């Protein structure tokens, strides 16, 4: 396993612990770092329900976070088959997303996998 991959996994695990601890009312999400610029002092993270939830339950979990932190739906998702919400939790910009159309989402994954 590449060193960067191991670091990404370790960072994601710790980030998940920290972010999920921010709300005792919301079920946990899977978190990752989208942007980290130490010099500019920027950190942006994203989260999705992960494989512990069905698509419908995952959307319910995302909506728990949306309601708890006043996140807003984006106009036009960056990924077909998902819905995205953005906002700030604490002072960290976040994007949460969940699958709304599994067929469209999986077609995209297959397409991207073939292009690599």
């Amino acid at each position: 396993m590449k060193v960067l991959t191991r670091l990404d996994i370790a960072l994601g695990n710790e980030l998940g612990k920290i972010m999920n601890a921010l709300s005792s009312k919301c079920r946990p999400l899977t978190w990752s770092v989208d942007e980290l610029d130490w010099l500019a002092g920027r950190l942006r993270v994203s989260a999705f329900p992960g494989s512990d939830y069905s698509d419908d339950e995952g959307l319910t979990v995302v909506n728990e976070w949306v309601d708890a932190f006043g996140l807003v739906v984006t106009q036009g998702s960056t990924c077909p088959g998902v819905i995205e919400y953005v906002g700030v939790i604490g002072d960290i910009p976040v994007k949460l997303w969940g699958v709304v159309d599994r067929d469209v989402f999986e077609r995209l994954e297959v397409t991207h996998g073939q292009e690599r």
Side-chain angles (χ1 to χ4, degrees):
M1 182 180 287
K2 294 180 181 178
V3 173
L4 185 56
T5 303
R6 290 193 316 239
L7 289 173
D8 286 342
I9 291 169
L11 180 59
N13 289 339
E14 291 306 309
L15 177 66
K17 290 176 190 175
I18 293 166
M19 294 303 291
N20 287 326
L22 293 175
S23 177
S24 60
K25 298 177 186 178
C26 302
R27 288 176 279 175
L29 294 169
T30 300
W31 294 87
S32 62
V33 174
D34 287 344
E35 178 183 6
L36 178 57
D37 184 339
W38 291 106
L39 296 176
R42 281 194 306 261
L43 171 67
R44 189 185 58 199
V45 299
S46 63
F48 67 102
S51 60
D52 291 340
Y53 307 105
S54 69
D55 289 346
D56 289 340
E57 188 177 17
L59 291 173
T60 300
V61 174
V62 168
N63 281 311
E64 291 171 3
W65 286 84
V66 167
D67 293 342
F69 293 98
L71 307 178
V72 296
V73 67
T74 61
Q75 299 300 317
S77 169
T78 58
C79 179
V82 305
I83 188 167
E84 296 175 348
Y85 299 89
V86 294
V88 176
I89 297 178
D91 60 350
I92 301 172
V94 300
K95 175 175 67 175
L96 306 184
W97 61 274
V99 176
V100 293
D101 189 329
R102 176 61 59 182
D103 291 336
V104 171
F105 180 71
E106 286 181 352
R107 271 196 307 269
L108 179 72
E109 286 184 328
V110 168
T111 302
H112 284 297
Q114 292 172 353
E115 291 176 353
R116 289 182 187 161

